[in-house]
Amino acid sequence: MSEATRFNPHVADTRWQQIWEEQGTFVADDASDKPRSYVLEMFPYPSGRIHIGHVRNYTMGDVLARYRKMQGHEVLHPMGWDAFGMPAENAAMEKGVHPGSWTRENIENMRAQLKRLGFALDWNREFATCEPEYYGHEQALFLKLFEAGLVYRKESEVNWDPVDMTVLANEQVIDGKGWRSGAEVERRKLSQWFLKITDFADELLDGLGSLDKWPDKVRLMQENWIGKSQGGLLRFGLSNGETIEVFSTRPDTIFGASFMAVAADHPIAQAAAEADEKAAAFVKQCKAGGTTAAELETAEKLGFDTGLTAQHPFDPGKQLPVYIANFVLMDYGTGAVMGVPGHDQRDFDFASKYDLPIIRVVAQDAADACKPFDGEAEPGDGVLVNSGEFDGLAVEEAKAAIIARAEEEGWGEGQVQYRLRDWGVSRQRYWGTPIPIIHSPDYGPVAVPEDQLPVALPEDIDFSAPGNPLDRHPTWKHVTCPISGKPAVRETDTLDTFVNSSWYFLRFASQPEDRPFDPDVIAKWLPVGQYIGGVEHAILHLLYARFWTRALTRIGMLDVKEPFASLFTQGMVTHQTFKHGDGSWLTPDEVKKNGADWIVIADDTPATAGRVEKMSKSKKNVVDPDDIVDQYGADAVRWFMLSDSPPERDLEWSEAGIEGCWRFVQRLWRLFGQIGAGGAGADAEVDRALDRKLHQTIASVSEHIEALAFNKAVAAIYDLTNAIEKASFSASRSQAIHVLRLLVAPMMPHIAEEAWAIAPSPGGLVANERWPQVDESLLIEDEVTIAVQVKGKLRDTVTAAKGLPKDELEALALASEKVQRNIDGAEIRKVIVVPDRLVNIVI
RNA sequence: GCGGACGUGGCGGAAUCGGUAGACGCUGCAGACUUAAAAUCUGUUUUCCAACUGGAAGUGCGGGUUCAAGUCCCGCCGUCCGCACCA
């Protein structure tokens, strides 16, 4: 085939990308009176190169954005950069480059990579969170929350790396050691800034109910994360005259309590440690214990008897020993628990070890009051036994009754407890938003005055030593108190990068210079109509963004409750892995297939094909988007991203798959070239079957794009293409090819534009065209295929006019020779007829 | 341990309400065109029996409901994911 009849993406891609840019095709107009669509994909971290996972993510969003535009919507489809974070600082430490220049250079590269894929983005709204034009507004928002009392400072335990002199996130502690330095991580108390997300626990939980276009999985994960439990706060008098307060979800089991246990950090434990060396040693041992999942699972329940006892509120003769225990957490509830061994497994284990009484207070029925335990606790439902006046009550009734009594007598009350904790946002790092606070010697932490915002990061910084470069900068932190004018010290911690991504979707919608956003413009675009990203953000980012939005709404800056009306979590892109005989990884293009086996191309030694896994550099199974766009063009790559796998599942990259997409691009191109083919005579013909197929395809492609079922939309387009190719020339065929250009436009925009421009051309851009309308009258089949079953087994199919009455269908079915052969003279007991579908003859 | 999702050909996957299982793509095989290759086109590709018409089995396993089950119900098995000493 000559080059002229091939689609050449290297020429076409850039041509159309330039034209879209010149014409501002995808620039969103705030003032538009069209219906609006805000399509957003999670913005990338500028690591240096676009990853194939980004390509999949942005292709999905792009299809939807282009489709909505063709439906006549004003579409907001922005892109920007989540540009603060540790990798930039690591690069600074390793290569001596400034985090800012490293980041900005990466952004340049990645922007160019994205542009090559032809995404319908409004680049006018692009921003990077690392620029003062963004983070300055973030500081203003932070101060608004500070004024409203939603930000506070408190001492908190953190993972401290003594070598790097920085706080580490839990994920950065590997086997108790710092991930970079390898140093033993210490628990250290530091003053940290917190956002009061717990104030919104109930709202955030209830709000999930309205998010019916979110995956159930994500809602459930958030629900569990918030972790609401209903119970009672109970107070017991101690032998030393003080009081111990515990939270329990099972106040009904109070008669089964046989001990109390407190966390190592609990004041009672601290007091005991001060008075007694052994107690101090035990407390130390508890703190040294690992916190990894595996360690916790195998860790033995250990306790230390403080010698104190607690008075049981219902039994004056009953004194419960108070232990310090390694399984009690300080930061949940009150840091103290009531031990009920019979009905809680941990308490059971503990009581068994220390020979404490195990009392049954819940049983299947009253007769089982003395039934022994079968080696484990019984946390289930039942009725109360051995519980004095409460005997016979069901568990739920008993909870209410005992809480009511506690309230009456003043030793407790009903309480709702959350697992969710306040969000610690302080980071001892340079490359983040400076926390806009000044520590005044007289007034404590004071907000930086608004006219001094942004608090910009200093450029001249030193990464040669570990620790926070802001803290050791010679001048930056030395300021004066905004109130007294006396010397004061700037806060040198920066904000968690999750703060940056908690409001970027607002800034995309509205970006005035003098304030974070204009609520009136926000009101036009928000909530985001479709948000697309990886499920790894199911909890943190999505919960923080929901919180931030609600917090801004509560303080009156905004009127949006839920930022993302519809959420879609896409799967990963995976690829086969290969290994050498010696176990080292091989890239997929270093091997080839040799019969059923794989061999290394370079030296013909055998290779082993490993699992299909998420692309990662270490396993050498990555493909670079630039390389494949070079080879196949943007459209083939985009088409591959949408084909085969349902978008929520993983997509396996394969050479054969992308080759197939490339062939399809060329097939389409040949077909587009035939748009007016067949001559005048042929053009007069109408092909009803093809017309119907076309309109069925329009309907199904539309429906599938709406549902983000791109793999099904792709299949429908293949199906139509096959049908057009097989059909003989006719006006219908030309029309079908014409419409096919529109149908593929959201997915393969470059070839669609190229085809739209060839004669007979309607002019303009296909990107601005209207999405084809379905002719409902053409959807109706006039003939249908009826399945004929005998005793539920398919024996024949017959063709019938649509809507044929039941008795006629039955007659038609019975007329079938195959059916008669299968009935074989037997008596017909019953005939089931489903109009336009099937006839089942029961013998 | 708790919670959730999923199991369909050689592979990715389709299959509105329970109504023709395997659409569509990939791979493989056979053929056409070509000096040849590439590209393209045609046929074929769940398994087994029969090889002309056909027949049987079949959606992880075992039961059940129904005229009819991939789909609904009960019980297993397996894979993946999230949380995890949360009182």
Side-chain angles (χ1 to χ4, degrees):
Chain A
M1 182 181 295
S2 74
E3 274 303 308
T5 52
R6 283 194 145 213
F7 175 69
N8 183 350
H10 302 106
V11 178
D13 287 5
T14 41
R15 171 166 49 233
W16 297 106
Q17 285 158 19
Q18 259 169 28
I19 290 174
W20 295 328
E21 187 148 350
E22 280 161 22
Q23 300 194 3
T25 309
F26 305 114
V27 172
D29 178 8
D30 287 344
S32 170
D33 51 12
K34 293 180 195 169
R36 287 159 195 280
S37 283
Y38 187 175
V39 178
L40 184 66
E41 298 97 56
M42 291 179 185
F43 68 160
Y45 176 78
S47 57
R49 305 287 297 167
I50 289 289
H51 185 270
I52 194 82
H54 293 125
V55 177
R56 190 180 190 201
N57 189 184
Y58 303 145
T59 301
M60 290 179 193
D62 203 54
V63 171
L64 191 68
R66 287 175 177 271
Y67 169 75
R68 289 271 179 248
K69 180 174 173 65
M70 290 178 81
Q71 280 187 318
H73 288 216
E74 187 67 33
V75 175
L76 173 56
H77 187 215
M79 181 56 68
W81 309 95
D82 190 11
F84 272 138
M86 294 239 314
E89 281 188 70
N90 293 337
M93 286 185 265
E94 281 155 24
K95 299 173 202 159
V97 289
H98 190 280
S101 47
W102 182 85
T103 303
R104 290 178 192 109
E105 201 171 298
N106 287 344
I107 289 173
E108 290 299 316
N109 292 335
M110 290 172 76
R111 185 193 301 116
Q113 284 191 294
L114 284 183
K115 287 196 172 181
R116 295 190 63 196
L117 283 149
F119 295 134
L121 293 164
D122 180 355
W123 286 103
N124 291 352
R125 296 177 187 243
E126 177 192 8
F127 59 75
T129 57
C130 65
E131 305 300 346
E133 292 75 29
Y134 182 81
Y135 70 72
H137 295 302
E138 185 168 300
Q139 291 168 335
L141 293 174
F142 178 87
L143 291 177
K144 293 277 187 203
L145 297 179
F146 181 61
E147 277 167 34
L150 293 171
V151 176
Y152 66 96
R153 191 169 159 82
K154 86 165 184 209
E155 282 246 304
S156 140
E157 267 206 354
V158 293
N159 303 305
W160 179 260
D161 183 323
V163 170
D164 277 357
M165 299 211 284
T166 184
V167 167
L168 298 178
N170 284 332
E171 306 79 62
Q172 293 160 353
V173 180
I174 296 155
D175 294 331
K177 296 187 168 70
W179 69 296
R180 264 181 56 85
S181 68
E184 202 76 31
V185 169
E186 297 169 4
R187 309 284 293 163
R188 192 180 266 211
K189 279 207 166 177
L190 276 186
S191 275
Q192 305 252 64
W193 289 99
F194 286 84
L195 298 187
K196 269 196 194 166
I197 191 171
T198 54
D199 255 30
F200 294 78
D202 238 347
E203 265 188 61
L204 289 167
L205 189 63
D206 288 348
L208 291 172
S210 69
L211 298 175
D212 56 335
K213 290 178 184 164
W214 278 41
D216 290 344
K217 181 187 175 175
V218 175
R219 286 193 300 186
L220 198 71
M221 280 166 76
Q222 293 213 352
E223 194 181 313
N224 291 338
W225 188 262
I226 294 169
K228 182 176 184 172
S229 7
Q230 209 98 33
L233 206 54
L234 311 175
R235 286 176 294 276
F236 298 77
L238 288 175
S239 49
N240 66 359
E242 290 176 17
T243 301
I244 183 170
E245 188 173 47
V246 303
F247 173 72
S248 173
T249 54
R250 295 295 303 273
D252 55 302
T253 62
I254 193 164
F255 284 86
S258 53
F259 66 97
M260 295 283 154
V262 301
D265 289 325
H266 193 276
I268 290 175
Q270 302 279 315
E274 270 173 43
D276 177 353
E277 259 177 46
K278 283 185 190 163
F282 182 77
V283 164
K284 203 176 168 195
Q285 186 192 340
C286 287
K287 286 190 174 186
T291 50
T292 63
E295 282 173 303
L296 291 176
E297 201 160 354
T298 51
E300 200 182 359
K301 307 267 177 293
L302 295 174
F304 180 90
D305 191 344
T306 60
L308 289 171
T309 57
Q311 171 64 51
H312 194 281
F314 289 103
D315 183 351
K318 198 168 182 180
Q319 299 289 328
L320 307 171
V322 178
Y323 283 82
I324 304 167
N326 64 347
F327 66 92
V328 182
L329 304 173
M330 190 59 217
D331 47 10
Y332 184 78
T334 61
V337 301
M338 151 179 110
V340 184
H343 307 284
D344 181 284
Q345 190 57 43
R346 288 157 308 172
D347 297 347
F348 190 95
D349 296 344
F350 191 84
S352 305
K353 183 168 169 67
Y354 293 100
D355 284 327
L356 296 159
I358 301 173
I359 309 154
R360 174 180 292 280
V361 287
V362 178
Q364 279 310 300
D365 60 71
D368 291 336
C370 298
K371 197 180 163 196
F373 289 96
D374 186 19
E376 57 181 17
E378 292 178 20
D381 209 357
V383 294
L384 263 65
V385 294
N386 303 320
S387 297
E389 63 196 278
F390 300 99
D391 277 358
L393 289 179
V395 162
E396 284 310 311
E397 296 167 337
K399 283 181 185 173
I402 288 171
I403 287 173
R405 175 66 62 85
E407 285 176 359
E408 227 174 271
E409 298 179 359
W411 50 271
E413 55 268 332
Q415 163 96 356
V416 173
Q417 194 66 48
Y418 297 93
R419 207 191 77 112
L420 183 71
R421 293 171 209 157
D422 276 338
W423 176 15
V425 292
S426 295
R427 297 290 180 272
Q428 290 68 39
R429 304 233 152 79
Y430 167 74
W431 198 231
T433 302
I435 295 175
I437 295 284
I438 291 167
H439 296 280
S440 157
D442 306 315
Y443 300 94
V446 179
V448 171
E450 221 180 317
D451 60 7
Q452 287 176 28
L453 294 182
V455 175
L457 287 168
E459 284 293 313
D460 53 328
I461 41 143
D462 169 24
F463 277 101
S464 59
N468 182 354
L470 286 179
D471 201 37
R472 62 165 178 269
H473 188 278
T475 56
W476 188 75
K477 69 177 176 186
H478 301 293
V479 288
T480 53
C481 168
I483 303 169
S484 65
K486 289 190 206 160
V489 179
R490 205 184 270 299
E491 171 67 59
T492 56
D493 284 354
T494 52
L495 289 171
D496 182 2
T497 56
F498 275 109
V499 175
N500 307 144
S501 52
S502 291
W503 71 286
Y504 78 106
F505 44 91
L506 301 173
R507 185 71 185 167
F508 273 145
S510 163
Q511 35 191 267
E513 262 182 52
D514 59 339
R515 52 199 165 136
F517 45 76
D518 177 341
D520 295 332
V521 179
I522 296 282
K524 292 183 181 182
W525 290 112
L526 271 279
V528 173
Q530 183 65 59
Y531 196 33
I532 308 176
V535 73
E536 66 273 18
H537 294 111
I539 297 175
L540 296 183
H541 161 59
L542 289 165
L543 192 65
Y544 293 150
R546 293 181 61 222
F547 155 63
W548 200 263
T549 307
R550 280 179 185 270
L552 293 175
T553 293
R554 186 185 285 183
I555 65 175
M557 295 192 67
L558 206 59
D559 189 18
V560 180
K561 286 222 162 64
E562 289 292 341
F564 313 119
S566 178
L567 173 71
F568 189 84
T569 54
Q570 105 269 10
M572 297 180 303
V573 182
T574 60
H575 196 3
Q576 175 116 52
T577 52
F578 295 97
K579 273 185 177 180
H580 251 298
D582 65 7
S584 62
W585 298 98
L586 287 159
T587 64
D589 51 7
E590 285 176 313
V591 296
K592 67 175 179 187
K593 206 152 193 185
N594 183 25
D597 304 317
W598 293 90
I599 55 168
V600 181
I601 294 168
D603 55 14
D604 282 0
T605 56
T608 46
R611 279 164 44 120
V612 173
E613 290 189 67
K614 181 182 180 178
M615 285 192 185
S616 81
K617 279 181 194 156
S618 63
K619 289 176 184 144
K620 292 198 174 175
N621 62 339
V622 287
V623 290
D624 187 273
D626 263 358
D627 295 344
I628 56 179
V629 173
D630 280 344
Q631 204 172 344
Y632 302 103
D635 288 340
V637 172
R638 294 169 58 114
W639 187 250
F640 183 85
M641 292 292 114
L642 302 167
S643 302
D644 291 347
S645 284
E648 68 277 13
R649 281 196 225 168
D650 290 352
L651 170 69
E652 187 185 344
W653 176 265
S654 80
E655 208 56 37
I658 184 70
E659 292 280 353
C661 294
W662 166 252
R663 284 200 298 273
F664 183 64
V665 168
Q666 296 304 336
R667 230 174 105 196
L668 272 183
W669 186 244
R670 289 193 294 276
L671 200 55
F672 290 152
Q674 295 174 11
I675 190 161
D683 274 352
E685 289 169 34
V686 171
D687 183 339
R688 269 308 289 278
L690 189 60
D691 288 345
R692 185 176 304 122
K693 184 87 194 171
L694 174 64
H695 283 268
Q696 284 170 343
T697 307
I698 298 170
S700 94
V701 170
S702 312
E703 193 184 305
H704 291 318
I705 291 179
E706 298 269 3
L708 307 183
F710 303 113
N711 57 322
K712 296 184 207 171
V714 163
I717 287 172
Y718 271 118
D719 214 16
L720 176 64
T721 308
N722 291 344
I724 297 173
E725 282 179 338
K726 287 203 177 72
S728 43
F729 293 130
S730 66
S732 298
R733 191 174 186 274
S734 290
Q735 174 64 14
I737 297 171
H738 167 75
V739 174
L740 184 59
R741 298 185 298 192
L742 295 163
L743 291 177
V744 300
M747 305 179 185
M748 297 195 274
H750 307 90
I751 193 176
E753 292 292 2
E754 196 76 9
W756 199 251
I758 57 174
S761 170
L765 291 175
V766 75
N768 292 323
E769 280 300 318
R770 289 309 298 261
W771 187 251
Q773 293 292 304
V774 177
D775 183 340
E776 299 284 342
S777 69
L778 279 171
L779 288 184
I780 301 158
E781 304 266 4
D782 33 34
E783 279 191 337
V784 286
T785 307
I786 306 290
V788 183
Q789 300 176 332
V790 177
K791 280 175 77 178
K793 283 196 186 294
L794 183 74
R795 293 302 175 187
D796 199 5
T797 56
V798 296
T799 308
K802 192 177 167 70
L804 205 65
K806 284 189 173 191
D807 52 339
E808 288 184 44
L809 277 177
E810 186 177 330
L812 207 58
L814 287 170
S816 157
E817 193 198 320
K818 288 178 195 168
V819 169
Q820 284 303 331
R821 208 191 309 148
N822 274 283
I823 295 172
D824 196 23
E827 186 199 346
I828 297 170
R829 296 196 309 183
K830 198 172 171 187
V831 178
I832 284 133
V833 182
V834 182
D836 297 334
R837 273 237 135 108
L838 72 80
V839 179
N840 187 10
I841 294 152
V842 186
I843 54 174

